[in-house]
Amino acid sequence: MLKNYLLITVRSLLKNKLYIFINIIGMAIAIACCIVAYFNYDFNVTFDHNHLNRGTIYRVNSVREFQKELTSFGVVPIALGNAISQNIADVDEVVRYGPNAGNFRIGEELFNTEYNDVDANFFTVFTFDFVEGSGDLSDKSKICISEELAIKYFGREKALGKPVTQMLDSGRTREFTVAGVFKQPPTNSSFASVAYMRYENAFLGNDPEYNENSWRYRNTTFVQIKNQSRLAAVESQLLPYTENNNKIREDFIIKKFELDPLEGMGVRDSYSERPGTWTREGSPIAAVVGIGMMGIFVLLIACFNLTNTAVAISSRRLKEIGIRKVMGSSRKHLIFQFIGETTLICTVALLLGIVIGEYVLVPAFNELWPEIKLIPHYFDRPNFLMFIVGTLLFTSLLAGSYPAFYISRFQPISILKGKLRFGGTNIFTRVLLWLQFGISLTAIVCSFAFTDNAKYQREFDLGFDKSGLVFTYVNGRSEYETYRNALAANPDIIAIAGSEHHLYSSSFNDPIKHEDKEIEVDILNVGDDYLKTVGLTLKEGRDFEKDSETDRKESVIITEGLAKKLGLKNAIGSKVTWMDTVQYYVVGVVQDIYNRGLWDQMEPVMLRYGGKDDVTHILVKASTSNLISVNQFMEQSWKELFPNRMYVGRYMDEEMIEANTVNNNIVVMFVFLGTIALMLSATGLFTMVSLNIIKKMKEIGVRKVLGASVGNISKVINKEFVIILILASVLGSFLGWWMSGMLMSSIWDYYRTVTAISLLTSSLILFTVCALSIGYKIYSTVRVNPANVLREE
């Protein structure tokens, strides 16, 4: 019997090769999209699963209280690590962790890289795969580097035991020896650094207050607690140490310390946008949900398409069905036959979809998002096999159930006497078509929404000149003056300024008071001509006076937003208090500055006139057309003056470049998904129109005999489909508006929502594609000779 079923299935499919081929390709692409969505979801679910001890590792968070609101930070005072090691016996291991960066020399190669300061037990607590040596950091002169770094600078030679020189300020150096070479962890690991060295090395700088007993400075601290029943006891033992912090940092009052499990930590940090996190975060929730939803939507369209095709094919097999029923075939046998045929189609599509996902879509996704590397895994975990089996059952039953149960109930007498007329549309097929085009329009609307948003964000006024500025880092006034004098020889440079802090580079956040109001602000200590060089717009008052000690001690410039939050109608001359005792007077008000770009809510900013010798940044302004050549000149001059240190120049518009990249990548994704969905939907419409024409052929013939025009006949054929498309436009516009808004709000705080023009343009594209897909079919139908139609009837 199974052989007979299989033979009938193959013959039926071969008779409709074109329709079946189109459906297999469409279903395969849809399944490939779902596979990418699954691996994207799995990327977050398995975050930090590479660490074998993940179930016993916790990050210690600070829960800060400010104006009766509690906020969890991913950092704690540095001194807390030693306090835990010495006084809390329930904690098995303590690991301090802090990000850093510096200039290094290997052989003749000078390079700048980020690295992390960690305790000696870091590689014991966390799991890394070493290809050379081990994670032995017992000696402060040892360093562990990644395999990529070793290959880049040591080539084919073994890196183990080789020297690495760190270039410090004022020509000083520090020598290290490679103690181990590790494979770079997967991108869904909290640790992304290419090098690790002992934490004690961080205390060898010029600031004596920065030491391992400091309650003022922060780091990330991890603890390992093997006895899970003692977690509450550890948190209670941590509570008294809040007082050590609160005595030193009255501006940063900690209510308690909490233990945050490593497993899922990166994803929670991303979802909650937790401040003070120095480890890698997971994908934003909207990116996971958005891609997953679109994958499911495209799969639904492919299933609906296969349903309509199955109905169309079955309409040609009515005599076969009637004869099989007369010969004794039961309804359940016919249901088994039809669902089996659909399952075979879905199985072939599934196998092809895995190939498309593996070799096309997953690499394309990784190319779009370098910070997310999806690694396909098929047989090493049962979850994927369950997903694949579930997808096969879902598609087979969803696409095959309706035609199987609907057609198998026909009576053989009606079929064989020719009384049954099967074709046309019904409420079920109309709903399927409506959903198909509604989903397709959703992706098109999202494409236009992110395209418009990219333009909006490129032109967004951040409150400073983001397109004509480049900056780099210097050590003190003497180095600044030396470098400035060399740069002054370039006529393309419009202005040069030095500053301790700078937008998007460094600042600090502290509360300030005015009368009974207290708010937190971003504070920047700036130098002479900072406002003019950066392009800040002075709305009221004046700039700082050069070399004015009064301005250094008493004056500040604030943003309009800060003045508004403090309730200052006449801000000039108003008094603000910092750290409860230091009083300043407002001498100027500048246009609002988006110091955190478009990603986060704008914070109020206060500028102070920094100390004369406190210069860590040099800022260079030039015309946009000359900026690249000016940056090259800066690099050349740097190499001549400071040959032992890397030049690290940054353009101020890098923030906008990143936002534009995100926009463009999402546009590419939705254009692809929208195109696939629209092609599948257009194929489904073609099938539906064909079915409807079969039902109305006699009516069309009679109308032609009675003198009906081409337009009149086209109206008869198209009327219900036009109504369906109009309703689909309403559905797709709403879903597109909602989905694009959800995605944008999860990424940025400042963005443009869908415009009316985008909605109208998307709907116009939908109607145009539909007209092109069915135009020839309708044209050939209305041109048919009515005599041929009526004679057949």
Side-chain angles (χ1 to χ4, degrees):
M1 181 179 288
L2 289 176
K3 181 179 180 182
N4 184 47
Y5 281 147
L6 184 60
L7 185 62
I8 294 173
T9 297
V10 172
R11 285 177 177 174
S12 175
L13 297 181
L14 290 177
K15 287 179 182 178
N16 302 276
K17 293 186 290 292
L18 178 61
Y19 287 111
I20 298 303
F21 175 77
I22 293 173
N23 275 273
I24 287 176
I25 295 298
M27 182 71 74
I29 295 175
I31 290 174
C33 293
C34 288
I35 288 174
V36 173
Y38 169 81
F39 285 135
N40 187 45
Y41 163 78
D42 187 69
F43 179 89
N44 269 6
V45 171
T46 59
F47 212 89
D48 279 323
H49 275 211
N50 58 303
H51 298 294
L52 300 179
N53 299 324
R54 63 183 179 275
T56 61
I57 301 173
Y58 300 83
R59 182 182 62 194
V60 185
N61 291 343
S62 302
V63 180
R64 183 195 182 194
E65 183 178 32
F66 181 72
Q67 295 183 345
K68 298 182 179 180
E69 289 188 6
L70 299 180
T71 304
S72 177
F73 287 74
V75 290
V76 295
I78 291 176
L80 185 64
N82 280 343
I84 295 173
S85 298
Q86 296 167 9
N87 302 305
I88 303 181
D90 290 318
V91 174
D92 298 286
E93 299 284 352
V94 178
V95 181
R96 294 172 299 178
Y97 171 94
N100 214 328
N103 297 306
F104 292 85
R105 183 186 294 279
I106 295 178
E108 298 300 319
E109 293 282 348
L110 182 66
F111 63 96
N112 181 276
T113 188
E114 296 179 350
Y115 64 91
N116 284 106
D117 298 309
V118 296
D119 281 319
N121 58 345
F122 177 78
F123 292 108
T124 303
V125 175
F126 297 99
T127 304
F128 282 74
D129 185 8
F130 279 84
V131 294
E132 290 184 44
S134 64
D136 179 15
L137 291 177
S138 56
D139 191 329
K140 288 191 294 185
S141 65
K142 297 292 182 66
I143 186 172
C144 292
I145 62 175
S146 70
E147 188 177 22
E148 288 82 353
L149 199 65
I151 292 173
K152 184 175 182 179
Y153 293 106
F154 292 105
R156 297 182 178 180
E157 297 181 13
K158 284 191 173 295
L160 188 65
K162 295 292 178 63
V164 176
T165 303
Q166 184 178 17
M167 315 303 294
L168 303 174
D169 302 336
S170 305
R172 296 181 298 118
T173 62
R174 187 186 298 159
E175 298 297 329
F176 292 91
T177 302
V178 176
V181 178
F182 57 86
K183 287 185 178 180
Q184 196 68 36
T187 50
N188 61 344
S189 170
S190 291
F191 307 109
S193 181
V194 297
Y196 296 89
M197 63 176 65
R198 278 284 294 273
Y199 199 95
E200 286 78 3
N201 290 316
F203 302 134
L204 302 179
N206 298 321
D207 186 354
E209 292 188 15
Y210 188 75
N211 58 67
E212 61 184 358
N213 297 312
S214 172
W215 290 93
R216 176 175 299 279
Y217 291 100
R218 302 304 200 240
N219 69 2
T220 299
T221 298
F222 293 98
V223 295
Q224 184 178 17
I225 304 173
K226 297 178 181 178
N227 186 351
Q228 302 290 284
S229 65
R230 301 299 295 169
L231 296 179
V234 171
E235 285 193 337
S236 65
Q237 293 176 74
L238 287 171
L239 189 60
Y241 294 105
T242 58
E243 292 302 317
N244 298 60
N245 172 88
N246 298 343
K247 290 177 183 178
I248 302 295
R249 292 291 304 271
E250 294 182 0
D251 59 313
F252 197 93
I253 300 298
I254 294 178
K255 187 74 173 179
K256 64 177 181 178
F257 295 109
E258 64 180 9
L259 300 177
D260 190 6
L262 175 68
E263 194 161 12
M265 179 188 73
V267 178
R268 291 192 299 275
D269 288 347
S270 173
Y271 290 3
S272 64
E273 297 183 352
R274 179 180 284 113
T277 55
W278 293 346
T279 50
R280 181 188 274 148
E281 296 182 357
S283 302
I285 186 171
V288 177
V289 173
I291 295 174
M293 288 179 63
M294 283 308 303
I296 294 173
F297 284 165
V298 172
L299 186 63
L300 286 175
I301 292 176
C303 289
F304 297 161
N305 218 31
L306 184 55
T307 297
N308 288 332
T309 301
V311 171
I313 292 174
S314 299
S315 66
R316 304 176 184 179
R317 301 171 61 184
L318 293 179
K319 288 185 179 180
E320 174 197 332
I321 295 169
I323 293 174
R324 290 181 64 179
K325 281 202 165 188
V326 169
M327 297 298 293
S329 181
S330 65
R331 187 184 180 193
K332 67 178 182 180
H333 291 152
L334 291 173
I335 292 173
F336 180 79
Q337 174 73 45
F338 284 115
I339 291 183
E341 291 177 5
T342 306
T343 303
L344 179 61
I345 294 172
C346 292
T347 302
V348 175
L350 179 66
L351 297 175
L352 182 59
I354 293 175
V355 174
I356 294 174
E358 169 75 22
Y359 295 104
V360 180
L361 296 192
V362 170
F365 184 92
N366 289 340
E367 190 70 24
L368 284 176
W369 308 100
E371 68 278 8
I372 301 176
K373 291 297 182 185
L374 304 185
I375 302 175
H377 49 83
Y378 301 112
F379 305 109
D380 56 336
R381 298 180 194 166
N383 290 353
F384 181 78
L385 294 177
M386 293 170 60
F387 164 75
I388 286 296
V389 172
T391 300
L392 179 60
L393 292 175
F394 174 79
T395 53
S396 300
L397 293 176
L398 183 63
S401 294
Y402 173 73
F405 285 93
Y406 178 60
I407 298 170
S408 62
R409 69 183 176 87
F410 292 154
Q411 296 300 318
I413 297 177
S414 300
I415 296 174
L416 297 178
K417 284 186 175 182
K419 294 181 179 180
L420 181 64
R421 288 292 180 266
F422 180 53
T425 59
N426 54 42
I427 186 65
F428 181 77
T429 55
R430 290 171 188 146
V431 170
L432 292 187
L433 194 63
W434 172 64
L435 289 174
Q436 280 182 295
F437 281 107
I439 293 169
S440 302
L441 189 62
T442 300
I444 299 172
V445 169
C446 288
S447 301
F448 278 103
F450 277 95
T451 301
D452 290 342
N453 186 60
K455 182 175 183 296
Y456 167 77
Q457 291 186 334
R458 281 196 302 269
E459 298 172 353
F460 193 90
D461 185 4
L462 295 175
F464 58 90
D465 184 6
K466 62 178 181 289
S467 60
L469 198 67
V470 62
F471 69 93
T472 190
Y473 306 92
V474 293
N475 298 313
R477 169 65 59 175
S478 176
E479 191 168 291
Y480 163 74
E481 292 292 348
T482 301
Y483 192 35
R484 184 185 186 282
N485 292 336
L487 297 180
N490 190 325
D492 293 330
I493 294 178
I494 299 173
I496 303 175
S499 180
E500 180 181 354
H501 298 131
H502 180 46
L503 300 171
Y504 296 113
S505 176
S506 66
S507 64
F508 63 98
N509 187 274
D510 262 344
I512 64 170
K513 294 180 180 178
H514 172 71
E515 297 178 351
D516 60 340
K517 292 185 177 179
E518 182 179 19
I519 62 173
E520 288 190 318
V521 298
D522 286 343
I523 301 175
L524 285 81
N525 298 332
V526 301
D528 297 322
D529 298 324
Y530 184 84
L531 272 65
K532 180 181 69 175
T533 304
V534 176
L536 301 181
T537 303
L538 195 64
K539 294 291 188 177
E540 298 180 49
R542 62 173 176 84
D543 195 353
F544 297 120
E545 294 180 356
K546 187 173 183 179
D547 295 328
S548 170
E549 291 301 319
T550 301
D551 276 357
R552 283 196 172 95
K553 294 178 181 178
E554 300 180 358
S555 301
V556 291
I557 297 174
I558 64 176
T559 57
E560 291 178 301
L562 177 53
K564 186 176 180 180
K565 284 191 173 185
L566 292 174
L568 303 177
K569 294 183 178 179
N570 298 308
I572 305 303
S574 298
K575 183 174 69 174
V576 296
T577 304
W578 173 55
M579 297 182 68
D580 293 327
T581 57
V582 183
Q583 295 183 350
Y584 291 105
Y585 295 90
V586 177
V587 298
V589 178
V590 296
Q591 177 184 334
D592 282 333
I593 306 168
Y594 293 80
N595 188 32
R596 304 184 183 186
L598 306 176
W599 310 94
D600 299 310
Q601 193 69 27
M602 179 189 69
E603 291 291 328
V605 177
M606 182 175 78
L607 305 177
R608 301 193 310 171
Y609 191 24
K612 186 174 183 179
D613 296 327
D614 299 329
V615 183
T616 60
H617 297 76
I618 183 168
L619 322 170
V620 175
K621 185 176 184 179
S623 64
T624 306
S625 58
N626 294 328
L627 196 61
I628 294 178
S629 62
V630 165
N631 186 42
Q632 292 171 345
F633 176 78
M634 291 175 65
E635 183 175 9
Q636 180 182 353
S637 300
W638 180 275
K639 289 179 178 179
E640 294 173 359
L641 295 172
F642 315 112
N644 291 324
R645 285 163 50 201
M646 281 287 293
Y647 171 76
V648 185
R650 287 181 58 190
Y651 296 107
M652 282 301 294
D653 62 355
E654 286 180 2
E655 189 76 14
M656 291 299 97
I657 292 174
E658 185 178 358
N660 195 46
T661 300
V662 172
N663 273 302
N664 291 339
N665 288 351
I666 295 177
V667 168
V668 170
M669 290 168 54
F670 275 109
V671 166
F672 172 77
L673 292 171
T675 301
I676 296 300
L678 197 54
M679 289 175 59
L680 292 173
S681 299
T683 307
L685 178 63
F686 182 83
T687 304
M688 292 287 290
V689 170
S690 301
L691 284 170
N692 201 43
I693 288 173
I694 292 173
K695 181 181 179 180
K696 294 178 180 289
M697 284 305 297
K698 184 176 181 179
E699 177 187 346
I700 292 170
V702 172
R703 285 178 178 272
K704 291 203 71 175
V705 169
L706 295 176
S709 65
V710 172
N712 182 268
I713 295 175
S714 298
K715 180 180 178 182
V716 171
I717 298 174
N718 290 328
K719 182 178 179 180
E720 67 172 310
F721 297 110
V722 171
I723 295 173
I724 291 172
L725 290 177
I726 292 173
L727 294 176
S729 297
V730 175
L731 174 65
S733 296
F734 172 76
L735 288 177
W737 167 80
W738 171 78
M739 180 171 285
S740 61
M742 177 195 67
L743 289 171
M744 290 181 188
S745 64
S746 72
I747 302 172
W748 301 287
D749 279 336
Y750 300 95
Y751 57 89
R752 169 175 284 173
T753 55
V754 180
T755 63
I757 295 178
S758 295
L759 295 178
L760 291 174
T761 304
S762 301
S763 298
L764 180 62
I765 291 175
L766 179 69
F767 276 87
T768 301
V769 171
C770 291
L772 292 175
S773 66
I774 64 175
Y776 178 76
K777 181 69 177 180
I778 294 174
Y779 175 77
S780 61
T781 300
V782 298
R783 299 284 295 176
V784 73
N785 188 338
N788 296 333
V789 175
L790 297 177
R791 182 168 57 245
E792 291 177 1
E793 292 291 336

